[in-house]
Amino acid sequence: MLTGSPFLTQLRRAKISALGVYVPPRLLTNQDLEKMVETSDQWIMERTGIRERHIVDQGTATSDLACQAARQALAERGVQPTDVEAIIVGTVTPDMLFPATACLVQNKLGAKGAWGFDVSAACSGFVYALQTGAQFIQTGAHKKVLVIGADVMSAIIDYTDRATCVIFGDGAGAVLLEPAEGDGEGIIDFIHEVDGSGGCSLNMPAGGSLHPATHDTIDKKMHFVHQDGQAVFKYAVRKMAESCERILERNGFTGEDVKCFLPHQANKRIITATADRLKMPADRIIINIDRYGNTTGATIPLAMHTAREEGRLKKGDLCLVAAVGAGFTVGATLLRWAY
């Protein structure tokens, strides 16, 4: 387990100074899915809370969505791509196995001089990328780091599999990290954890070195997401709540102190179960899974965008970010919103 508090108290904090998001315009509604698999709008809403999700047109890649979100974030801050020193992309749907999607984003943005890499942590990808980027700010290595969560999940979903096709959507979100100007803002603490024994419960079996692409792997649909929904749900409910409780407790806070809870949007029932355990007021919980579905690496920046749009995220607010993903991966971040 990796924790951040012993170091964050000694080093300069990183803060989020800008935010940008992008989702493709095409919608896939529950009514559309009723025509594709044996399901219903009521069944999907009751079990997931999802009403619709955004899906890319053929030929649109993760790097395309990532660039749209990144441009928006940079424009909000008035920063040029050439000012960015590092780019970190959290994704499980890279344009290709190599080069990294961060390299493709760097080139498309014109971020000459920036270096970067991808982080693969599934639904915790943005949280992990955020903390990785924050370390470069905190140590003084960089002053401007672009962190992106982006996924084209529709590229790896079997739309004849009711267990997965109703859940996922496509999208991207980006934040710019810069040094905080005082102790009252920025990233306060983080907790990360993995449990590799859960890898069999949520994965894409083929496409790597273990099972390279063959006619057999394609025929067996091994290049799509495979999920044991029951196992994932149980683990996510338990670990999201545990990680949130631990990070709040060790920093002297309770759920009632949190002004904005920004959870990964995997399932509405997971979110509400976590909030109930933390005794968190309902008006502080950001839920937008109904309109986006689970966009994997993009859910948390999209939740930040929703919170700002609805006037529920203001400068100085104590924010709690939490995610659980395939791996299993777990991440929680405590921060004060800086703008």
Side-chain angles (χ1 to χ4, degrees):
M1 186 186 303
L2 184 62
T3 60
S5 59
F7 307 102
L8 301 195
T9 54
Q10 300 169 22
L11 303 178
R12 191 173 194 180
R13 284 183 183 172
K15 70 174 182 180
I16 294 173
S17 61
L19 169 69
V21 298
Y22 180 77
V23 290
R26 184 157 70 97
L27 288 176
L28 180 66
T29 67
N30 290 350
Q31 286 72 30
D32 295 327
L33 285 166
E34 286 176 342
K35 302 169 187 173
M36 298 164 63
V37 292
E38 188 181 341
T39 191
S40 69
D41 175 63
Q42 182 180 355
W43 189 90
I44 298 169
M45 285 294 293
E46 286 178 355
R47 284 159 180 78
T48 69
I50 302 167
R51 184 179 67 246
E52 61 190 23
R53 65 289 290 148
H54 293 254
I55 303 293
V56 300
D57 291 325
Q58 189 172 2
T60 301
T62 294
S63 65
D64 296 321
L65 305 190
C67 283
Q68 291 275 17
R71 290 189 187 103
Q72 192 182 111
L74 295 178
E76 181 178 88
R77 181 65 173 153
V79 169
Q80 296 302 311
T82 49
D83 295 327
V84 174
E85 296 162 274
I87 301 169
I88 305 172
V89 180
T91 186
V92 288
T93 57
D95 288 24
M96 56 196 79
L97 283 178
F98 64 89
T101 302
C103 298
L104 305 177
V105 170
Q106 183 264 354
N107 183 55
K108 290 180 179 181
L109 284 179
K112 202 170 181 181
W115 70 292
F117 52 92
D118 293 354
V119 172
S120 179
C123 294
S124 302
F126 178 80
V127 180
Y128 282 24
L130 182 70
Q131 290 304 333
T132 304
Q135 307 311 307
F136 294 114
I137 300 295
Q138 289 158 8
T139 61
H142 296 315
K143 292 183 178 177
K144 288 181 174 58
V145 176
L146 191 59
V147 174
I148 304 169
D151 275 297
V152 175
M153 292 303 294
S154 61
I156 57 172
I157 295 299
D158 175 7
Y159 283 94
T160 67
D161 177 14
R162 182 180 71 167
T164 57
C165 73
V166 303
I167 298 170
F168 295 97
D170 303 334
V175 297
L176 184 66
L177 293 179
E178 296 186 83
E181 292 161 7
D183 292 337
E185 63 183 23
I187 295 171
I188 298 167
D189 195 6
F190 73 95
I191 289 174
H192 289 171
E193 184 178 349
V194 300
D195 180 357
S197 67
C200 57
S201 298
L202 180 54
N203 59 30
M204 189 178 79
S209 59
L210 178 61
H211 297 293
T214 64
H215 283 297
D216 190 48
T217 63
I218 292 169
D219 290 343
K220 291 178 178 177
K221 298 186 175 182
M222 294 172 66
H223 298 267
F224 294 124
V225 172
H226 290 246
Q227 174 175 266
D228 178 348
Q230 200 91 1
V232 173
F233 181 85
K234 286 180 180 176
Y235 186 86
V237 167
R238 178 170 62 88
K239 294 305 292 188
M240 188 178 282
E242 283 180 5
S243 62
C244 288
E245 284 178 329
R246 288 211 328 270
I247 199 168
L248 288 171
E249 183 180 349
R250 78 180 189 188
N251 286 278
F253 297 112
T254 68
E256 294 178 355
D257 296 313
V258 175
K259 297 298 182 186
C260 190
F261 180 39
L262 298 156
H264 167 58
Q265 308 285 310
N267 184 299
K268 187 177 180 181
R269 291 184 295 159
I270 295 172
I271 297 169
T272 55
T274 301
D276 288 346
R277 184 161 158 179
L278 296 172
K279 296 183 173 57
M280 196 175 293
D283 63 348
R284 299 180 190 179
I285 307 161
I286 306 303
I287 301 176
N288 63 7
I289 192 172
D290 58 313
R291 68 198 92 158
Y292 297 119
N294 181 351
T295 55
T296 307
T299 65
I300 287 171
L302 281 169
M304 291 175 176
H305 173 70
T306 295
R308 287 206 312 178
E309 267 194 330
E310 295 177 356
R312 294 199 280 160
L313 184 55
K314 300 180 180 67
K315 184 174 181 177
D317 281 354
L318 183 67
C319 302
L320 177 61
V321 175
V324 175
F328 287 122
T329 59
V330 182
T333 298
L334 197 61
L335 62 90
R336 284 203 182 274
W337 196 252
Y339 72 105

